[in-house]
Amino acid sequence: MSQTPHLLVAAEDSAGRAGPLPRLARLAYGGDYNPEQWPESVWAEDVELMRVAGVNLVSVGIFAWALLEPAEGQFEFGWFDRLLDLLHDGGIGVDLATPTAVPPAWFRRRHPEARLVDRHGVPLGGGARQSFCPSSPAYAEASARITEQLARRYADHPALVLWHSHNEYGGANALCYCATSAEAFRDWLRDRHGDDLDRLNAAWGTTFWGQRYAEWAEIEPPLAAPTSVNPTQQLDFLRFSSDAHLDNFRRERDILHRLSPGVPVTTNFMIANCKTIDYWRWAAEVDVVSNDHYLRAEEPDNHIELAMCADLTRAVAGGRPWLLMEHATSAVNWQPRNIAKRPGELRRNSLSHLARGAESALFFQWRASRFGAEKFHSAMLPHGGTGTRIWREVVALGADLPSLEPLRGTRVVADVAMLWDWESWWAVELDWRPSVDLDYRERMAAYYERLWRDRLTVDFAHPEQALDGYRLVVVPSLYLTTPAAAENLRRYVAGGGTLLVSYFSGIVDADDAIHPGGHPGALRDLLGLTVEEFLPLRSGETVRLAAIDSEPAGAGAGAETTGDVWAEVVVPQGATPVLSYLDGPAAGGPAVTRHALGAGHAWYVSTRLTAAGLAPVLRAAYRDAGLVPPDGVPEGVELVRRAGADGSRFLIAINHADREVELAATGTDLLDGSFQQGVCRIPAGGVRALRA
């Protein structure tokens, strides 16, 4: 078999920097390939076009279970052998998937007890993907069997670069309420609460509404009920459900590690958009973190949301390189309005992920489907073929990527940390909170947008993670705050850090019980204040804020700021009021405060401010932190700095505007080889990757 420059097997790149895929010595480019949708006569054409486009990695087998095992225990691998050999002969590496997201029709017929059941107790049908109970023993046995067969047959195949377990765990079957899940939930609860019903009753607060349990068999999943279901029961069920999917991944991973040692195993996350999976818990279980990202097409400036997801993926990866496993060349098929990407957007989106730590640009999918639920989803090779704009942009991006090889193994340089916690997200949005407008992701996006527009790069962090290396830590929402997290933040501020906390944080512990002593509970002493009462606002109601004349920090500079959704009665207990409410239910009281603690400062914002409204507050916090955002950067320009262990420095500048802009910068552009001296000109919609 011939070997081409597309696939080079090496443990490290030319600079001696190990990458996430030891068998692939280049940035990965390609996407999902589903040849089973096409006659074999098309396959050779596909491989040749992949070579034209610069593709060096494709994901195969993701939805092929019914073809690989057409009847229980009967396997047909001949077509798959031919496919992998053809790809290898063409110099294309393989990300080989276990097809366990789509159990075949024979599985559903033989195991009706494994069907997914919704919260109303209704079994759900097939004709889709992930239509199974994640706690099903029958599914566990069947998925292990197909995984073992694939691993035994292809562990030594020369095209194999990466194992890809399942597809988007929890994407469609996040929660199952069947009898099997109920029994598995009880087993999980025994592990969590030490087989001690008294401990569980205390954690769940079952003396409220007479819910006390005397036997484990009395406990159910939080099925639909006449009124609000115990919130801690719901919270534990969310934890259990995330862990049930993780158990399925571990089972497949362990088989692959045993039979195919040395080949990394991943699964594609859906970071920032999948609420039901706690990716902090999953991160250490995969050999390399990979993520799927799709633009929220109708949102203006949706490239900011893309940057947030990329930064969060890098954080989950522990700052190490990660893989962009899926994104779209243009429109998707499942949003209310599937907006097509404009010329150049495909390239900008891909390079933004690469700038923020990805070492791949992979798409769903290679060739657009003619049938099925995703036939209107864009692809690298569109329905219109090689005469289309999308194809030309795909080929151009493939030609660009080799010039970005110097970025491999370098790290993103971050200025600020933001805390993100899936458990707190679950808890704050359960029913019967003080306002239906409490929206975890919205607060994350607003604070992130402010930092992005101030050209500060963000690392995300778990609330209990060490924060010593950051001058500023931002906490947009942390309703569920453990004592360990509270102590971590106190230690950070006392040691000289600057902390900014948004409203309704520090309220409950890990069991959703109110911290004693008044709000904001776990953070009360750190923030130097008490919140006597929450004051949710009516729909459409706003409150005006203004700087207090005597405040020393300069937030607001005399201008008014408007909040909505939320206000509070804030009573300082050591904190200094910085902005006050001019009107609304908290009129005359503090709205934003600043508290000196040890060598640092803790800020508190008690209302919802837009990204624009946060500007004066963040400017003041920057001063405390000694942060100076870059000055003179044109509107719409995204900046990311990267550094290598060898002292190399890079600045990636992405122009999202429709006009040419100028940026004060010097360096050689990796993409076109030009030297930018003092003033760097970036074309409309263009990208510069400058080596200092």
Side-chain angles (χ1 to χ4, degrees):
M1 296 180 181
S2 62
Q3 188 174 47
T4 76
H6 290 291
L7 180 62
L8 299 175
V9 178
E12 295 181 335
D13 66 17
S14 59
R17 298 170 297 206
L21 300 178
R23 297 188 178 192
L24 197 66
R26 255 190 49 200
L27 294 170
Y29 187 53
D32 285 23
Y33 183 36
N34 299 290
E36 62 270 23
Q37 297 178 16
W38 304 92
E40 285 197 36
S41 58
V42 176
W43 298 0
E45 176 190 350
D46 280 333
V47 171
E48 183 55 36
L49 289 175
M50 288 175 189
R51 290 166 59 89
V52 170
V55 167
N56 64 350
L57 184 68
V58 292
S59 302
V60 296
I62 293 175
F63 302 120
W65 193 346
L67 297 177
L68 294 169
E69 189 180 4
E72 186 169 14
Q74 299 178 20
F75 300 96
E76 293 186 3
F77 289 118
W79 69 276
F80 213 55
D81 293 346
R82 295 191 296 276
L83 171 68
L84 266 60
D85 289 347
L86 179 65
L87 289 166
H88 178 67
D89 285 345
I92 312 297
V94 167
D95 168 32
L96 183 51
T98 62
T100 52
V102 283
W106 60 255
F107 176 84
R108 292 194 304 276
R109 184 168 179 268
R110 283 176 174 266
H111 300 286
E113 80 285 357
R115 288 177 180 259
L116 192 69
V117 174
D118 71 12
R119 195 176 182 185
H120 297 275
V122 177
L124 303 182
R129 61 185 185 182
Q130 296 181 322
S131 54
F132 63 88
C133 166
S135 299
S136 162
Y139 171 77
E141 180 181 352
S143 61
R145 182 174 61 242
I146 186 64
T147 299
E148 182 163 340
Q149 289 290 327
L150 285 165
R152 289 188 182 280
R153 191 171 189 92
Y154 299 114
D156 297 322
H157 197 285
L160 181 63
V161 169
L162 176 70
W163 285 105
H164 181 131
S165 175
H166 200 79
N167 181 71
E168 297 180 338
Y169 278 101
N173 63 341
L175 310 174
C176 182
Y177 297 83
C178 71
T180 300
S181 291
E183 186 57 42
F185 181 41
R186 288 188 281 269
D187 290 342
W188 183 92
L189 290 170
R190 288 187 184 96
D191 289 341
R192 180 173 177 84
H193 297 284
D195 202 20
D196 185 343
L197 265 177
D198 288 339
R199 180 175 170 183
L200 179 139
N201 279 305
W204 284 17
T206 56
T207 53
F208 185 81
W209 281 358
Q211 296 171 350
R212 179 174 169 76
Y213 297 102
E215 298 180 14
W216 288 100
E218 296 170 352
I219 300 173
E220 298 177 331
L223 292 159
T227 186
S228 179
V229 175
N230 186 313
T232 317
Q233 180 182 358
Q234 294 188 64
L235 186 56
D236 268 355
F237 190 70
L238 286 162
R239 292 175 173 130
F240 151 75
S241 298
S242 178
D243 284 354
H245 290 288
L246 183 55
D247 285 344
N248 285 325
F249 169 74
R250 287 172 174 148
R251 182 186 310 110
E252 293 188 15
R253 178 205 61 196
D254 291 349
I255 292 170
L256 296 170
H257 278 172
R258 174 169 52 86
L259 298 176
S260 184
V263 180
V265 180
T266 191
T267 186
N268 43 340
F269 293 171
M270 300 171 287
I271 285 176
N273 291 314
C274 182
K275 179 180 176 181
T276 52
I277 299 293
D278 183 353
Y279 290 116
W280 290 125
R281 282 182 57 78
W282 283 61
E285 305 288 348
V286 296
D287 296 327
V288 55
V289 166
S290 62
N291 190 51
D292 295 351
H293 179 268
Y294 293 96
L295 285 182
R296 298 183 170 204
E298 287 195 87
E299 289 186 359
D301 294 334
N302 52 20
H303 51 271
I304 301 177
E305 187 271 345
L306 182 157
M308 183 178 81
C309 291
D311 284 344
L312 182 56
T313 306
R314 186 181 69 255
V316 169
R320 294 180 295 276
W322 54 276
L323 300 178
L324 176 61
M325 187 62 72
E326 291 182 24
H327 69 315
T329 58
S330 188
V332 299
N333 63 283
W334 40 266
Q335 295 183 11
R337 297 168 189 83
N338 296 294
I339 310 302
K341 293 185 180 180
R342 306 311 303 147
E345 194 172 358
L346 179 161
R347 181 176 187 261
R348 289 196 303 280
N349 291 166
S350 300
L351 296 186
S352 181
H353 284 292
L354 289 167
R356 294 178 183 274
E359 293 204 352
S360 67
L362 306 175
F363 296 90
F364 181 85
Q365 58 182 325
W366 162 253
R367 183 184 282 268
S369 302
R370 290 186 55 241
F371 44 77
E374 295 187 288
K375 57 182 170 288
F376 294 115
H377 195 295
S378 61
M380 298 178 79
L381 183 61
H383 293 296
T386 58
T388 59
R389 172 182 66 84
I390 291 297
W391 172 253
R392 291 190 292 273
E393 292 194 15
V394 163
V395 172
L397 178 60
D400 273 341
L401 292 185
S403 65
L404 296 175
E405 284 296 313
L407 295 179
R408 291 183 72 214
T410 65
R411 297 294 185 100
V412 173
V413 179
D415 307 287
V416 179
M418 274 179 58
L419 299 193
W420 182 292
D421 182 34
W422 273 273
E423 291 199 0
S424 192
W425 186 0
W426 299 339
V428 75
E429 294 182 6
L430 292 175
D431 42 4
W432 289 18
R433 294 331 189 202
S435 173
V436 296
D437 295 318
L438 289 165
D439 185 331
Y440 183 88
R441 204 179 181 288
E442 181 279 329
R443 280 295 80 195
M444 289 290 170
Y447 276 87
Y448 184 91
E449 179 182 346
R450 181 68 266 151
L451 295 164
W452 188 96
R453 293 191 182 282
D454 290 338
R455 278 73 181 190
L456 295 175
T457 302
V458 174
D459 273 349
F460 284 89
H462 186 273
E464 297 179 12
Q465 178 181 329
L467 301 168
D468 300 342
Y470 300 101
R471 294 181 180 183
L472 174 65
V473 173
V474 176
V475 185
S477 178
L478 195 62
Y479 164 76
L480 189 158
T481 307
T482 64
E487 172 57 23
N488 187 42
L489 294 177
R490 187 206 64 78
R491 186 168 54 247
Y492 165 74
V493 174
T498 300
L499 177 73
L500 189 147
V501 178
S502 185
Y503 60 87
F504 207 50
S505 295
I507 307 303
V508 300
D509 63 16
D511 293 320
D512 198 47
I514 300 291
H515 285 292
H519 306 310
L523 304 179
R524 187 175 58 247
D525 295 337
L526 167 60
L527 297 171
L529 54 85
T530 295
V531 174
E532 285 196 354
E533 191 171 13
F534 304 131
L535 302 172
L537 303 181
R538 295 175 175 84
S539 178
E541 185 180 3
T542 61
V543 289
R544 293 181 299 134
L545 284 62
I548 297 172
D549 291 341
S550 61
E551 61 86 15
E560 289 187 8
T561 302
T562 301
D564 66 359
V565 168
W566 191 268
E568 293 175 343
V569 177
V570 175
V571 179
Q573 294 180 337
T576 301
V578 177
L579 274 74
S580 65
Y581 289 104
L582 292 180
D583 54 16
V592 175
T593 61
R594 173 177 178 261
H595 182 223
L597 179 70
H601 295 88
W603 290 74
Y604 185 64
V605 181
S606 68
T607 186
R608 189 175 84 163
L609 302 176
T610 64
L614 285 167
V617 178
L618 265 297
R619 279 198 300 269
Y622 298 157
R623 284 194 290 272
D624 272 352
L627 281 173
V628 181
D631 191 25
V633 181
E635 185 67 25
V637 173
E638 175 179 354
L639 298 179
V640 183
R641 291 170 292 136
R642 298 190 63 150
D646 58 359
S648 57
R649 296 290 183 270
F650 301 89
L651 175 68
I652 297 93
I654 304 174
N655 181 11
H656 296 282
D658 57 4
R659 67 192 185 285
E660 181 179 273
V661 298
E662 294 183 350
L663 180 70
T666 296
T668 301
D669 186 3
L670 299 178
L671 290 163
D672 67 8
S674 65
F675 182 69
Q676 305 291 313
Q677 176 65 53
V679 176
C680 175
R681 291 179 173 83
I682 313 173
V687 180
R688 297 286 189 190
L690 302 181
R691 185 201 293 266

